[in-house]
Amino acid sequence: MTPGPTQVPEESLSLLARQVSHHRTPEFQALFERTTQGLKDVFQTREGDVLLLAGSGTAAMEAAVVNAVPRGEKALCLVSGKFSERWARLCETFGITAVEYAVPWGDPFDPATVRAILSKDREIRAVFTTLCETSTGMGHDIAGISKAIDSIGVTGGTADGFTGEPSRPLLVVDGISAVGAVECRMDAWKIDLLCVGAQKALMGVAGLAMIGVSPTAWKRMEQVPRQAFYFDLFKYRKSAADRTTPFTPPKPLIDALAVNIDALRKEGMEAVWRRTARLAAAARAGFDAMGLPLVPKMPSDAMSAVRLPDAIDTKMFLSIMENRFGVKFAGGQGELSGKIFRMAHFGMIDEFDIIGTLGAIELALHAVGHPVRPGSGAAAAIARLSE
Ligand SMILES: *Cc1c(COP(=O)(O)O)cnc(C)c1O
């Protein structure tokens, strides 16, 4: 039940047991085409490209940073937890000045503040942010942040030092834990670079990352000196025209992922988002009934990060969940270490998992000396699911 890695569907798993076949073949080209076209649906883009990278989700984040912003230039990093901090650390690694707008963990960003920072500092080349901050379960308002970027306008005529034209900063989004689970519209929300990893809502095996690139991003990236070899996105664009990747692709992982993407497309992305939202509402109703507060002020439907009472031995709770009930949760990271547990609502997780997990939580709480009214959490979830 962790927010990544998630369980992998049987049909997808069985493909991983097949003999390896070569990747410079028409068969791979067909797989490449099917996968990238499918991902365009998942990313909600018609205009942009989706490229496949070998690596975990962070590979896509690193590719975004090295391709989008020249060394020595500035980027705005929106920091609200463990994962969004990574944007700032990546920028620093590549000699990019990270202007940080940090909020307390679990808080939203205020689009007006983003606007104020950008209108004061016209040298900021890109804004790096996160769809679902997986360390806190916070669902950030990407559409609102995008509008804030738009609102500083290009009409003011401020010259952009490196394109020679007025332009808005690029919007770069880490959608690793929530694209494929919750609403995220690359084109409509003017996302320039969208990073995703296979092992979260896409139900894949870790080791495959994806990055969506808008036409604007391509234009702007042409002005950036190449700072990477393996992660030079122009190499991937060139190969994509031949329906392949520049380096040996993790073909078995792509084979397996394609099955999951086909299933998401068949269901329809809006239906998938509604399904996740329904499970999220049921889980929240359950936590509320048990008196367990959520960490974030605006929870993402992708997952719940839940606070446990101070008196509870969190390690013991997690170990009972795992060893007695076979339910694996993620614990807290950084400042939330030992205080919370994190649970996904996406991928293969269904109504049965939500109800069963809430029941198991009740028994585990009883075992660690914090009894709740038996059935209260599960009953609230069932009531919500019956609506
Ligand atoms: C999981 C996750 C990452 C890190 O991905 P890796 O696959 O471990 O590299 C980054 N950002 C968010 C929001 C995540 O949930």
Side-chain angles (χ1 to χ4, degrees), residues 56-58 61 83 86 130 132 134 174 176-177 199-200:
S56 72
T58 307
M61 296 174 74
F83 290 100
R86 188 164 297 174
T130 310
C132 168
T134 318
D174 169 357
I176 294 173
S177 60
Q199 80 276 23
K200 309 241 167 132

PDB file of all heavy atoms in Angstrom, residues 56-58 61 83 86 130 132 134 174 176-177 199-200, ligand 1:
ATOM      1  N   SER A  56      15.297   5.714 -12.509  1.00  0.00           N
ATOM      2  CA  SER A  56      14.125   5.926 -11.663  1.00  0.00           C
ATOM      3  C   SER A  56      13.600   7.342 -11.928  1.00  0.00           C
ATOM      4  O   SER A  56      14.150   8.073 -12.759  1.00  0.00           O
ATOM      5  CB  SER A  56      14.487   5.710 -10.194  1.00  0.00           C
ATOM      6  OG  SER A  56      15.286   6.773  -9.729  1.00  0.00           O
ATOM      7  N   GLY A  57      12.576   7.747 -11.227  1.00  0.00           N
ATOM      8  CA  GLY A  57      11.952   9.045 -11.480  1.00  0.00           C
ATOM      9  C   GLY A  57      12.924  10.213 -11.435  1.00  0.00           C
ATOM     10  O   GLY A  57      12.819  11.166 -12.223  1.00  0.00           O
ATOM     11  N   THR A  58      13.876  10.142 -10.537  1.00  0.00           N
ATOM     12  CA  THR A  58      14.830  11.240 -10.378  1.00  0.00           C
ATOM     13  C   THR A  58      15.643  11.471 -11.655  1.00  0.00           C
ATOM     14  O   THR A  58      16.104  12.592 -11.906  1.00  0.00           O
ATOM     15  CB  THR A  58      15.757  10.957  -9.169  1.00  0.00           C
ATOM     16  OG1 THR A  58      14.923  10.679  -8.043  1.00  0.00           O
ATOM     17  CG2 THR A  58      16.652  12.142  -8.841  1.00  0.00           C
ATOM     18  N   MET A  61      13.927  14.048 -13.440  1.00  0.00           N
ATOM     19  CA  MET A  61      14.117  15.357 -12.795  1.00  0.00           C
ATOM     20  C   MET A  61      15.485  15.938 -13.187  1.00  0.00           C
ATOM     21  O   MET A  61      15.611  17.118 -13.515  1.00  0.00           O
ATOM     22  CB  MET A  61      14.031  15.217 -11.266  1.00  0.00           C
ATOM     23  CG  MET A  61      12.665  14.773 -10.751  1.00  0.00           C
ATOM     24  SD  MET A  61      12.661  14.452  -8.956  1.00  0.00           S
ATOM     25  CE  MET A  61      12.701  16.120  -8.283  1.00  0.00           C
ATOM     26  N   PHE A  83      10.631  15.689  -1.299  1.00  0.00           N
ATOM     27  CA  PHE A  83      10.845  15.526  -2.737  1.00  0.00           C
ATOM     28  C   PHE A  83      11.047  16.856  -3.440  1.00  0.00           C
ATOM     29  O   PHE A  83      11.903  16.980  -4.322  1.00  0.00           O
ATOM     30  CB  PHE A  83       9.716  14.699  -3.364  1.00  0.00           C
ATOM     31  CG  PHE A  83       9.794  13.271  -2.940  1.00  0.00           C
ATOM     32  CD1 PHE A  83       8.972  12.782  -1.937  1.00  0.00           C
ATOM     33  CD2 PHE A  83      10.736  12.426  -3.487  1.00  0.00           C
ATOM     34  CE1 PHE A  83       9.077  11.466  -1.501  1.00  0.00           C
ATOM     35  CE2 PHE A  83      10.858  11.103  -3.066  1.00  0.00           C
ATOM     36  CZ  PHE A  83      10.017  10.622  -2.073  1.00  0.00           C
ATOM     37  N   ARG A  86      14.434  18.275  -3.513  1.00  0.00           N
ATOM     38  CA  ARG A  86      15.361  17.690  -4.494  1.00  0.00           C
ATOM     39  C   ARG A  86      15.604  18.626  -5.679  1.00  0.00           C
ATOM     40  O   ARG A  86      16.698  18.653  -6.243  1.00  0.00           O
ATOM     41  CB  ARG A  86      14.804  16.342  -4.961  1.00  0.00           C
ATOM     42  CG  ARG A  86      15.757  15.556  -5.822  1.00  0.00           C
ATOM     43  CD  ARG A  86      15.330  14.109  -5.930  1.00  0.00           C
ATOM     44  NE  ARG A  86      15.361  13.449  -4.641  1.00  0.00           N
ATOM     45  CZ  ARG A  86      14.920  12.204  -4.421  1.00  0.00           C
ATOM     46  NH1 ARG A  86      14.444  11.487  -5.397  1.00  0.00           N
ATOM     47  NH2 ARG A  86      14.970  11.676  -3.212  1.00  0.00           N
ATOM     48  N   THR A 130       5.950  20.524  -7.801  1.00  0.00           N
ATOM     49  CA  THR A 130       5.611  19.118  -7.566  1.00  0.00           C
ATOM     50  C   THR A 130       4.099  18.950  -7.536  1.00  0.00           C
ATOM     51  O   THR A 130       3.410  19.714  -6.849  1.00  0.00           O
ATOM     52  CB  THR A 130       6.210  18.696  -6.190  1.00  0.00           C
ATOM     53  OG1 THR A 130       7.586  19.091  -6.164  1.00  0.00           O
ATOM     54  CG2 THR A 130       6.114  17.206  -5.956  1.00  0.00           C
ATOM     55  N   CYS A 132       2.246  16.079  -6.541  1.00  0.00           N
ATOM     56  CA  CYS A 132       1.927  15.530  -5.215  1.00  0.00           C
ATOM     57  C   CYS A 132       3.228  15.382  -4.449  1.00  0.00           C
ATOM     58  O   CYS A 132       4.110  14.641  -4.884  1.00  0.00           O
ATOM     59  CB  CYS A 132       1.226  14.175  -5.340  1.00  0.00           C
ATOM     60  SG  CYS A 132       1.105  13.291  -3.760  1.00  0.00           S
ATOM     61  N   THR A 134       5.076  13.718  -2.113  1.00  0.00           N
ATOM     62  CA  THR A 134       4.842  12.381  -1.550  1.00  0.00           C
ATOM     63  C   THR A 134       5.258  12.263  -0.079  1.00  0.00           C
ATOM     64  O   THR A 134       4.809  11.360   0.622  1.00  0.00           O
ATOM     65  CB  THR A 134       5.569  11.320  -2.418  1.00  0.00           C
ATOM     66  OG1 THR A 134       5.362  11.661  -3.788  1.00  0.00           O
ATOM     67  CG2 THR A 134       5.050   9.926  -2.182  1.00  0.00           C
ATOM     68  N   ASP A 174       7.298  17.925 -11.196  1.00  0.00           N
ATOM     69  CA  ASP A 174       7.534  16.551 -10.761  1.00  0.00           C
ATOM     70  C   ASP A 174       6.164  15.929 -10.521  1.00  0.00           C
ATOM     71  O   ASP A 174       5.499  16.237  -9.531  1.00  0.00           O
ATOM     72  CB  ASP A 174       8.374  16.562  -9.470  1.00  0.00           C
ATOM     73  CG  ASP A 174       8.445  15.195  -8.788  1.00  0.00           C
ATOM     74  OD1 ASP A 174       7.804  14.240  -9.279  1.00  0.00           O
ATOM     75  OD2 ASP A 174       9.130  15.100  -7.754  1.00  0.00           O
ATOM     76  N   ILE A 176       5.830  12.617 -10.482  1.00  0.00           N
ATOM     77  CA  ILE A 176       6.249  11.219 -10.343  1.00  0.00           C
ATOM     78  C   ILE A 176       5.232  10.361  -9.595  1.00  0.00           C
ATOM     79  O   ILE A 176       4.933   9.251 -10.002  1.00  0.00           O
ATOM     80  CB  ILE A 176       7.659  11.125  -9.699  1.00  0.00           C
ATOM     81  CG1 ILE A 176       8.695  11.736 -10.657  1.00  0.00           C
ATOM     82  CG2 ILE A 176       8.037   9.674  -9.367  1.00  0.00           C
ATOM     83  CD1 ILE A 176      10.105  11.878 -10.088  1.00  0.00           C
ATOM     84  N   SER A 177       4.671  10.888  -8.499  1.00  0.00           N
ATOM     85  CA  SER A 177       3.800  10.026  -7.697  1.00  0.00           C
ATOM     86  C   SER A 177       2.328  10.154  -8.041  1.00  0.00           C
ATOM     87  O   SER A 177       1.509   9.461  -7.441  1.00  0.00           O
ATOM     88  CB  SER A 177       3.977  10.342  -6.211  1.00  0.00           C
ATOM     89  OG  SER A 177       3.645  11.687  -5.959  1.00  0.00           O
ATOM     90  N   GLN A 199       7.113   3.390 -11.358  1.00  0.00           N
ATOM     91  CA  GLN A 199       6.736   2.508 -10.240  1.00  0.00           C
ATOM     92  C   GLN A 199       5.696   3.094  -9.297  1.00  0.00           C
ATOM     93  O   GLN A 199       5.499   2.585  -8.207  1.00  0.00           O
ATOM     94  CB  GLN A 199       7.995   2.120  -9.458  1.00  0.00           C
ATOM     95  CG  GLN A 199       8.529   3.153  -8.473  1.00  0.00           C
ATOM     96  CD  GLN A 199       9.429   4.208  -9.100  1.00  0.00           C
ATOM     97  OE1 GLN A 199       9.356   4.455 -10.301  1.00  0.00           O
ATOM     98  NE2 GLN A 199      10.263   4.861  -8.305  1.00  0.00           N
ATOM     99  N   LYS A 200       5.015   4.170  -9.715  1.00  0.00           N
ATOM    100  CA  LYS A 200       3.980   4.730  -8.834  1.00  0.00           C
ATOM    101  C   LYS A 200       2.615   4.470  -9.469  1.00  0.00           C
ATOM    102  O   LYS A 200       2.272   3.317  -9.636  1.00  0.00           O
ATOM    103  CB  LYS A 200       4.281   6.197  -8.579  1.00  0.00           C
ATOM    104  CG  LYS A 200       5.754   6.393  -8.121  1.00  0.00           C
ATOM    105  CD  LYS A 200       5.924   6.980  -6.762  1.00  0.00           C
ATOM    106  CE  LYS A 200       7.356   6.827  -6.288  1.00  0.00           C
ATOM    107  NZ  LYS A 200       7.919   8.043  -5.744  1.00  0.00           N
TER     108      LYS A 200
HETATM  109  C1  LIG B   1       9.083   8.720  -5.716  1.00  0.00           C
HETATM  110  C2  LIG B   1       9.244  10.163  -5.982  1.00  0.00           C
HETATM  111  C3  LIG B   1      10.437  10.698  -6.486  1.00  0.00           C
HETATM  112  C4  LIG B   1      11.692   9.888  -6.617  1.00  0.00           C
HETATM  113  O1  LIG B   1      11.625   8.966  -7.566  1.00  0.00           O
HETATM  114  P1  LIG B   1      12.727   7.819  -7.682  1.00  0.00           P
HETATM  115  O2  LIG B   1      12.003   6.893  -8.596  1.00  0.00           O
HETATM  116  O3  LIG B   1      12.994   7.263  -6.324  1.00  0.00           O
HETATM  117  O4  LIG B   1      13.926   8.417  -8.290  1.00  0.00           O
HETATM  118  C5  LIG B   1      10.490  12.038  -6.769  1.00  0.00           C
HETATM  119  N1  LIG B   1       9.446  12.841  -6.550  1.00  0.00           N
HETATM  120  C6  LIG B   1       8.291  12.372  -6.056  1.00  0.00           C
HETATM  121  C7  LIG B   1       7.168  13.335  -5.828  1.00  0.00           C
HETATM  122  C8  LIG B   1       8.157  11.029  -5.749  1.00  0.00           C
HETATM  123  O5  LIG B   1       7.007  10.567  -5.236  1.00  0.00           O
END
